[in-house]
Amino acid sequence: MSGEEDATVREPLDLIRLSLDERIYVKLRSDRELRGKLHAFDQHLNMILGDVEEVITTVEIDDETYEEIVRTIKRNIQFLFVRGDGVILVSPPLRAP
Amino acid sequence: MLFFSYFKDLVGQEVTVELKNDLAIRGTLHSVDQYLNIKLENTRVVDQDKFPHMLSVRNCFIRGSVVRYVQLPPDGVDVDLLHDAARREARGA
């Protein structure tokens, strides 16, 4: 079954392939970020992630002081399909996963 | 093709589809197509107070392009199979 597997990294998707079964960081549109274990992906960057933490960041501007209040909402999902058209970037985790 | 095949294997299971407009719909996966359009049965909206639009809707067709996430049953898949399929898929597709 696992006959010939080309281990050479030639194109960007090969780099992502190296991260299969590893934890990754995904930046999405609408100020969202995901950290989870990469189980599958395709050329559209559709992905299936496991043990995911989603962080949604919002910035409120106070009417009087005009200061920016940054808030984050976190959510955990065990098993998640992510549609590729929302993905901005994929990377190894920036901190300890 | 990878995720099309994956979702075909998942037909009959309960999933939660989160749309790009933040609406989340829970239901039984009835069918899927190559565009990852989804048909759900026995649907109910997750936050009914926030989204009263679809209170009486029990079945729906969801255009694939409006999906943000699909929350999957944790035991709904063999991860090793997925890894192997992804390793084969991404190159030269």
Side-chain angles (χ1 to χ4, degrees):
Chain A
M1 208 217 306
S2 62
E4 306 202 9
E5 252 178 44
D6 194 347
T8 339
V9 173
R10 291 209 200 94
E11 36 174 61
L13 289 179
D14 297 332
L15 271 177
I16 301 181
R17 203 150 55 98
L18 296 176
S19 294
L20 271 173
D21 207 25
E22 307 278 347
R23 292 196 70 82
I24 55 164
Y25 163 82
V26 183
K27 188 189 217 299
L28 300 172
R29 303 184 68 176
S30 306
D31 300 311
R32 286 163 195 256
E33 299 160 293
L34 299 172
R35 286 171 200 281
K37 193 179 222 199
L38 180 64
H39 288 307
F41 71 104
D42 66 7
Q43 72 273 30
H44 304 294
L45 260 41
N46 295 325
M47 290 184 274
I48 290 186
L49 300 176
D51 293 321
V52 190
E53 184 196 53
E54 180 197 34
V55 179
I56 307 169
T57 303
T58 54
V59 183
E60 270 177 45
I61 301 189
D62 189 296
D63 287 337
E64 296 143 35
T65 69
Y66 294 106
E67 68 172 309
E68 291 183 358
I69 311 162
V70 182
R71 290 208 178 86
T72 61
I73 302 167
K74 295 195 182 179
R75 191 159 67 129
N76 283 294
I77 304 152
Q78 251 189 311
F79 220 63
L80 190 70
F81 166 83
V82 182
R83 193 174 162 90
D85 56 10
V87 174
I88 296 175
L89 69 84
V90 178
S91 152
L94 300 137
R95 53 157 170 79
Chain B
M1 284 301 293
L2 195 172
F3 291 102
F4 177 34
S5 309
Y6 169 74
F7 279 119
K8 276 196 290 188
D9 290 340
L10 216 51
V11 164
Q13 304 225 28
E14 277 260 304
V15 295
T16 301
V17 181
E18 184 176 321
L19 306 182
K20 293 191 163 90
N21 66 354
D22 291 342
L23 180 61
I25 305 168
R26 185 156 185 81
T28 309
L29 184 62
H30 174 271
S31 56
V32 70
D33 68 11
Q34 52 170 322
Y35 306 107
L36 305 184
N37 296 326
I38 291 170
K39 277 182 86 168
L40 288 181
E41 299 214 312
N42 210 4
T43 59
R44 46 237 173 267
V45 173
V46 169
D47 192 342
Q48 297 226 336
D49 303 317
K50 194 171 169 201
F51 299 105
H53 314 82
M54 291 178 44
L55 276 173
S56 58
V57 175
R58 282 294 165 268
N59 307 290
C60 63
F61 172 96
I62 301 173
R63 192 186 208 275
S65 63
V66 308
V67 172
R68 181 188 288 136
Y69 304 132
V70 179
Q71 294 174 35
L72 308 161
D75 52 351
V77 74
D78 182 342
V79 278
D80 296 318
L81 275 180
L82 272 182
H83 291 170
D84 288 339
R87 267 185 263 268
R88 284 193 298 268
E89 169 100 358
R91 169 70 58 78

